[in-house]
Structures are given as structure tokens and as C-alpha cells.
Amino acid sequence: MEPREFNRILRQVLILPIAALLLLAVTLYLQIQGANQTVKLIQQSDDRITEATVAGKLIVDEESALRGYQTTTDARFLQPYLDAQPRLQAQFMALERVPGADELQKSRLQDLRESHQTWHDGFAEPVIAAIRSGGRPPDVELNLHGKVLMDTIRDDLNEVVHEAQEHRKTRIERWRQQVHRTILGLFAFALIFGIAIGLFVRSRMHRVSSVYSQYLEILNRRAEDLFQSEEQLRTTLSSIGDGVITCDLEGRVLLMNPVAEELTGWTQEMAGGKSLEQVFQILDEGTREPVENPITLVKRLNKPVGLTNHTVLRRRDGSKVSISDSGAPIRDRHGAMMGFVLVFRDNTMERRTQEALLANEKLVVAGRLAATIAHEIHNPLDSVSNLLYLMRTGASPEESALFMTLAEQELARVTQISRAMLGLYRESKTPVRVDLAEMLKEILLLLEHRLTELGVTVRTELPAGVYVEGFPSELRQVFTNLITNAGEASNPGGQVSVSIVPGEVSLEPGSSRMEHGATVRIADNGSGIPEEVQPQIFQPFFTTKGEHGTGLGLWVSQGIVTKHGGTISVESCSDGEQHGTVVSVFLATKQILELGTGSRG
Ligand code: ADP
Ligand code: MG
């Protein structure tokens, strides 16, 4: 339900009772107004009855006084009669003034006044005049006449009172009915509106409550979905083989999966809330210096960072394990960073396998070279023994000196070959300064025989004094591989060219940072590498040479070059006139200070 509709219902539920109560109040007001009117009328009837009663009393006073005067002829008895005269006139006026008289009442009042006037003029005044003139009190005839007149007055008075009482009675009845009606109406009104409001509110509330239960259901379903997805996530996290740690924006550990617990030696309870630097301490494999945490890198670069090799994790107990790791930001719906996830794995086995393969490849290279080397060494040794034979079988001193020089030259060649051979094996622990031209010449010396066998000529362009930093035996392995590949790809009569181009390159695409160093280019005009094969040549065990190849050469070479911080790239064309391959290896000068001084080549 829309909030607007919800508000509308609330308004309806509130407004309806208020409107009903207002209506009720108006009706009640009108009813009470009517009842008040009736009460006022009753009041008038009461007034009329009271005034009539007072008038009746005055008439009685008048008559009594007249009788006393008639009996005694003493003027003092007449005084109440005289007093009542004006008061009675005032009383009649008052009676007339009482409002709300109908025509009948008015005519009764008129009758009363007239019959009193008749009594007064026709009986009372003549009697008083007769007594005053000293005559006899009036005769029976007159008295009877007086009595008849007084009876008429009484009748009229009774009529007036009676009329007023009747009016009062009907008005009281009307008032009662009004009150009764009001109460009844109130009751009916309350009943009907109560039911109506009840039904209305019920129907509205029904609607609200059905919507509310719909919402509840949706919420429940969402909670269930959330629970399920959390459960899935938990199961996934705990069953994957990589260590996973999630952190908040400040780099505090939130969650660790069991592999992460095992690799770091910290449990989730211990690590929760601690800083990642404390739980996940990583060092450079070579220098054993602390390495920047991938999370710090992610924070700085604001993007995922890939796997870094050659990293060692210091576990909680101080032991070390070789790992590779990567980090990525966790973002909210609007893309804002809200935390990080760190993924790492124990790559000890991987490293061992790589090392084994590397050693294997070295052996293969050496094995391949063994025959060549035997041949290379055999030839000068053969010459030496021939020269020695000649010297022993009586050569002149001049001849002996010449033979000696020749033998020495041949032995120097043997020494050279054996040194080149040793160079392939001699390991140094730290990187050293390598003279590229000298190294490439030694390699070409070793490969000379093999290349001659293949019918390939070699062209070199090896400027002296170009140095790079690195591990010589490893670099030798790289170039031996690449030159052998070039020779093997060439047809008899083909040409392999080996050249050194000193200069700068940018290692990261698009970056303006230039790295100083040299590029070794090994080019051939051989068969070339078909385009569909090119993506695979750096994969281990990929070879097109059947049992004559291992498919490890380029893979190992790439590994070594990358470890040296350099790059290796291949350009090749396998069809048309211009077929052939160029492999370029860039190596950085790094901290080599002197460049181009002294040639040892
Ligand atoms: P291998 O030499 O033992 O086959 P590599 O890793 O050295 O293994 O080379 C892999 C493959 O790459 C080779 O089998 C070959 O097909 C191709 N390849 C490498 N260098 C060249 C080249 N210079 N010309 C043509 N193909 C090449
Ligand atoms: Mg090879």
C-alpha cells in the first residue's frame, strides 16, 4: 500500500466520527432549543394561573368586605373593598399582559372583566350607595342578583384558571415528549452511528491489516532469502581452498574463513576487530622486509589488486609460509567503498613444483648441450694431443714454441667452454652486475656447434658495456632457450640475429615512468608461430616439437624475466615472404652505476 493511501484511510477513520459527532451536536442543540421553548410556555401558564389566583383572592376580599359593610354599615368594613379596587384593575392588566394567550383565553379574560364590572356596577355600587344614604340594606331580591353575578365571576375565574391549567398540562406533556424524543433520538443516533463507524473502521482496518500482513510476509521472505544467501556465502567461504579475510573501511578484521584461520594461526574470535596488519603480516621472500598490505594498496588505488608472488606470511607462532595474495574493495549499492576482501593461498607446493620443473628444464638444456660440448671439447683436446705428439717426435725449438702457442690457444678454448658450461650452473644468492655482451657471446660459443649442425648462421650486434642486474645462471638459461628456439625454427641456410639495444621503456602500459635498461632481441627468419598458437606458447608443456621438446623453455624464461622485473614479448609472422619471429627481452639496469665503461667482451 502506498503511504498516501494509508494516510487517506487514517483520515477517513478520523473524520467520519468527528462529522457524526458534529451532526449529533447540532441535532441536540435544536432539540434542547425546542424543549426550552416549551418550558417557557409552561412558565407562562404558571404565571397566568398565579395571576388569576391572586385576582380571585382580591375578588373574594372585595365581596367579604362588601358583606361586612352590608351587615354592619360601618364604613371601616368597606375599606378592604376600596383597597382591592385598584389592585384588582392592576391584576386584570397583569393577566392580560401574560404573553402567549390564545383567542379563547383572551375572550374568557374579557368575560371575567365584564362580569366583575357588571357585579361592581350592578350590585356593589348600588348597595354601597344605598347604605351611605342611610337607607336599609338592600333587599333579598338585590342580594340574590348579587349572588348570581358573583357566581358568574367565579365561573369565569375558574374558566381562566382551568384554561391555563389545561394549557400547562398539554405543554408539560409536550415537553416530556420532547425530552423523550431527544433521549430516544440520541440513543438511536448513537446506536446507528456506532455501528456505522464500527463497520467502516473495521473495513478500513481490514484493508490496512491485510496490507500489513502482506508486508510482513514480504519481510519474512526477504529475511529468509537473506538468511539463505548468508548461509550460502558462509558455506562457500568455509569450503573454498583459499584463505579469505574481510575487513571494514578502517582495516579491522570482520570475518575469516577456516583456511585463513589455519594459515595465519589466528582464530576468528581472536582476530575479530583487530587491525589487519597485526593478523596478516607479510614479508618479501627475498629481503624479508615487510611488504605493503594488499588492502592498503586497494585503498590507495581504489581497485582490485592481483596476485603478488614471492610473499611470505608470518604466522602467529612466528613460522613462515609462502603465499600469494590479492585484495579487492567491497562496495555498497552506490559504488562507495565499505570494506575489503583479502584472498590468499599457501603456494608452497606450487613453488616446489615450479622449482622442480625449473631444475628439470635446466637438466634438459644441459643434456641437449652435452653432445655439443663433448664435441667442442674433443676437437681442441685432439689438436693438443696432436701438437704434443709432434713436439715429442723431434720438432725444432722454433717449431716447439709455435706448437706450444697453438696448444695454449686450444686449451684456452677448452677453458672458455667449460667456464660457459659452469656459468649455466653457478648460482649466486644475490643479483649481480651482468655484462650482456659477454654473456651472450659465451652462450653462442656453447651453441655454435648445434647451430652449425642446423645449418644456421648467426649475426650479432653486441655493443660492449651494457650492464643489467640479475642472476647470471638464470639469464643464461633464458637466452640459451631463446637462441635454441630460433635455431630450431629456422630452415637450413636460415639466419639468427642476436642484438642488444640499450634504452628506456615504460613497463606499465600508459604510465609515464620510464625504466632504464636494455633489450635483447633474438630474431630468426624461420617458420614463425601461427596466430592461433601464439596465446599458448608461454604455457608449460606446450610444444610443437613432439618428443624433442619439453614445452618448458618459454614458460621458464618468462618466469625468470618477470622475477628480474623485466618483460618478454614475441612478435611473429608465419606466412608470406616475411615469416619469422622476434623475441624481445627487456631487463632493467636497476642500481648499476657505471654504464659503458670498460669492455670485457
Ligand atoms: P620447446 O622448445 O621445448 O618446444 P618452448 O617453450 O621453448 O618449448 O617453446 C614452445 C613452442 O613455441 C615451441 O614448441 C614452438 O612451437 C614455439 N616457438 C618458440 N620459439 C619459436 C620461434 N623462434 N619460432 C617459431 N616457433 C617458436
Ligand atoms: Mg625451447
Side-chain angles (χ1 to χ4, degrees):
M1 185 191 280
E2 293 282 308
R4 213 189 307 151
E5 198 189 339
F6 187 73
N7 284 340
R8 196 168 56 91
I9 290 181
L10 277 188
R11 262 204 309 278
Q12 285 174 348
V13 166
L14 200 73
I15 284 174
L16 194 77
I18 290 178
L21 285 177
L22 274 177
L23 191 66
L24 180 65
V26 170
T27 328
L28 210 61
Y29 175 78
L30 293 177
Q31 286 285 339
I32 290 171
Q33 203 72 1
N36 275 350
Q37 205 60 42
T38 314
V39 169
K40 213 188 261 173
L41 291 178
I42 293 170
Q43 203 87 49
Q44 286 169 5
S45 298
D46 283 346
D47 287 351
R48 185 161 292 119
I49 291 168
T50 311
E51 301 298 349
T53 311
V54 172
K57 219 181 127 270
L58 287 174
I59 289 169
V60 169
D61 285 353
E62 233 177 8
E63 198 198 6
S64 307
L66 189 64
R67 277 199 204 292
Y69 182 58
Q70 230 180 329
T71 317
T72 60
T73 64
D74 183 345
R76 279 173 298 174
F77 281 93
L78 193 61
Q79 196 53 45
Y81 170 87
L82 294 176
D83 289 345
Q85 284 283 312
R87 286 181 59 200
L88 197 57
Q89 285 312 312
Q91 199 59 35
F92 283 142
M93 302 261 279
L95 252 176
E96 268 168 7
R97 270 205 305 277
V98 175
D102 58 10
E103 284 310 310
L104 189 65
Q105 282 176 323
K106 278 182 188 158
S107 79
R108 294 244 189 274
L109 202 57
Q110 195 57 38
D111 288 350
L112 177 64
R113 273 192 103 152
E114 277 168 10
S115 49
H116 178 263
Q117 200 58 47
T118 314
W119 176 78
H120 181 266
D121 297 347
F123 176 67
E125 284 306 315
V127 169
I128 293 168
I131 293 172
R132 277 200 184 133
S133 59
R136 295 286 313 143
D139 54 13
V140 176
E141 201 62 28
L142 189 62
N143 271 324
L144 272 177
H145 179 60
K147 182 186 175 300
V148 170
L149 286 179
M150 188 42 75
D151 285 347
T152 314
I153 289 174
R154 280 205 186 89
D155 282 351
D156 286 344
L157 195 60
N158 281 343
E159 280 296 331
V160 168
V161 173
H162 179 72
E163 201 64 42
Q165 276 173 342
E166 282 304 307
H167 268 239
R168 188 174 186 277
K169 229 191 263 171
T170 51
R171 281 167 183 177
I172 283 180
E173 188 53 33
R174 199 200 304 164
W175 178 79
R176 254 199 216 113
Q177 275 173 6
Q178 276 175 335
V179 170
H180 186 70
R181 259 208 316 275
T182 307
I183 289 172
L184 215 70
L186 249 179
F187 182 73
F189 185 89
L191 196 73
I192 291 167
F193 271 88
I195 290 172
I197 288 172
L199 287 177
F200 177 73
V201 169
R202 186 161 153 258
S203 87
R204 296 290 82 191
M205 286 298 134
H206 246 305
R207 171 105 183 85
V208 172
S209 91
S210 83
V211 170
Y212 183 69
S213 53
Q214 264 171 25
Y215 270 114
L216 270 189
E217 204 175 302
I218 291 171
L219 279 183
N220 272 343
R221 216 176 309 132
R222 279 199 196 145
E224 180 62 25
D225 287 353
L226 195 68
F227 175 79
Q228 272 178 13
S229 79
E230 268 184 7
E231 197 54 36
Q232 268 175 13
L233 188 70
R234 225 193 313 273
T235 317
T236 312
L237 272 185
S238 62
S239 52
I240 57 173
D242 287 357
V244 178
I245 300 181
T246 59
C247 315
D248 62 13
L249 257 190
E250 279 75 49
R252 281 187 300 259
V253 174
L254 296 176
L255 195 141
M256 291 175 87
N257 75 343
V259 178
E261 289 185 330
E262 197 185 305
L263 283 177
T264 56
W266 290 78
T267 63
Q268 160 97 51
E269 286 87 60
M270 290 193 293
K274 293 222 163 53
S275 86
L276 187 73
E277 270 84 11
Q278 198 179 344
V279 177
F280 189 75
Q281 295 181 8
I282 45 176
L283 313 170
D284 184 273
E285 193 176 64
T287 61
R288 299 278 150 162
E289 290 290 322
V291 178
E292 188 178 25
N293 220 301
I295 296 295
T296 327
L297 207 65
V298 171
K299 210 170 183 175
R300 193 148 47 81
L301 302 178
N302 193 14
K303 62 172 191 189
V305 296
L307 290 169
T308 338
N309 281 318
H310 314 297
T311 317
V312 171
L313 172 69
R314 198 212 307 265
R315 311 181 67 210
R316 190 159 177 264
D317 59 8
S319 61
K320 296 185 180 73
V321 54
S322 169
I323 59 156
S324 45
D325 54 7
S326 67
I330 304 173
R331 299 183 192 280
D332 65 13
R333 246 192 302 170
H334 312 290
M337 220 191 273
M338 53 182 276
F340 310 96
V341 59
L342 179 73
V343 181
F344 56 103
R345 78 165 83 95
D346 179 356
N347 64 3
T348 316
M349 279 312 287
E350 208 174 298
R351 296 296 298 282
R352 283 203 191 127
T353 316
Q354 276 179 8
E355 276 160 21
L357 280 179
L358 207 73
N360 183 47
E361 220 275 335
K362 245 184 209 182
L363 281 177
V364 171
V365 171
R368 292 258 172 80
L369 287 176
T372 324
I373 288 157
H375 190 86
E376 290 287 321
I377 291 176
H378 180 78
N379 284 347
L381 284 184
D382 231 12
S383 316
V384 170
S385 51
N386 284 339
L387 288 168
L388 284 177
Y389 174 76
L390 286 175
M391 277 158 76
R392 200 175 333 117
T393 53
S396 66
E398 297 83 43
E399 279 177 335
S400 290
L402 178 68
F403 291 158
M404 195 78 88
T405 317
L406 286 176
E408 269 172 9
Q409 278 175 2
E410 290 300 316
L411 276 179
R413 189 169 159 73
V414 172
T415 316
Q416 240 183 349
I417 290 170
S418 76
R419 197 173 61 204
M421 188 69 189
L422 277 177
L424 205 58
Y425 276 93
R426 205 182 290 131
E427 298 280 7
S428 64
K429 283 283 172 211
T430 50
V432 295
R433 206 166 80 137
V434 176
D435 183 331
L436 275 181
E438 193 186 356
M439 173 182 277
L440 287 167
K441 277 177 191 163
E442 276 180 12
I443 294 167
L444 284 171
L445 179 70
L446 279 182
L447 293 177
E448 201 177 273
H449 180 75
R450 173 95 181 104
L451 292 173
T452 317
E453 233 177 31
L454 290 166
V456 173
T457 55
V458 179
R459 202 172 61 83
T460 59
E461 200 182 318
L462 306 173
V466 181
Y467 298 96
V468 294
E469 207 181 38
F471 297 91
S473 70
E474 291 182 353
L475 293 181
R476 260 177 236 275
Q477 201 179 340
V478 172
F479 297 127
T480 309
N481 262 322
L482 299 181
I483 296 169
T484 312
N485 276 352
E488 285 171 348
S490 302
N491 302 314
Q495 196 187 53
V496 172
S497 115
V498 180
S499 52
I500 299 174
V501 188
E504 293 183 328
V505 298
S506 132
L507 289 181
E508 282 170 39
S511 158
S512 60
R513 223 191 93 201
M514 300 302 279
E515 201 67 46
H516 207 278
T519 306
V520 176
R521 287 157 53 91
I522 294 150
D524 65 67
N525 54 3
S527 56
I529 309 169
E531 221 164 286
E532 63 274 14
V533 168
Q534 282 184 21
Q536 303 175 52
I537 56 174
F538 285 103
Q539 288 171 5
F541 304 114
F542 176 80
T543 178
T544 54
K545 298 169 191 167
E547 58 184 24
H548 299 292
T550 59
L552 293 172
L554 286 180
W555 175 68
V556 167
S557 301
Q558 191 179 41
I560 292 172
V561 173
T562 312
K563 176 181 158 185
H564 278 75
T567 58
I568 180 167
S569 61
V570 175
E571 284 170 81
S572 190
C573 175
S574 62
D575 41 37
E577 291 277 292
Q578 295 295 314
H579 57 84
T581 306
V582 182
V583 183
S584 309
V585 175
F586 174 81
L587 293 165
T589 315
K590 291 266 175 77
Q591 59 269 77
I592 303 298
L593 298 171
E594 22 171 7
L595 248 179
T597 52
S599 158
R600 289 187 290 161

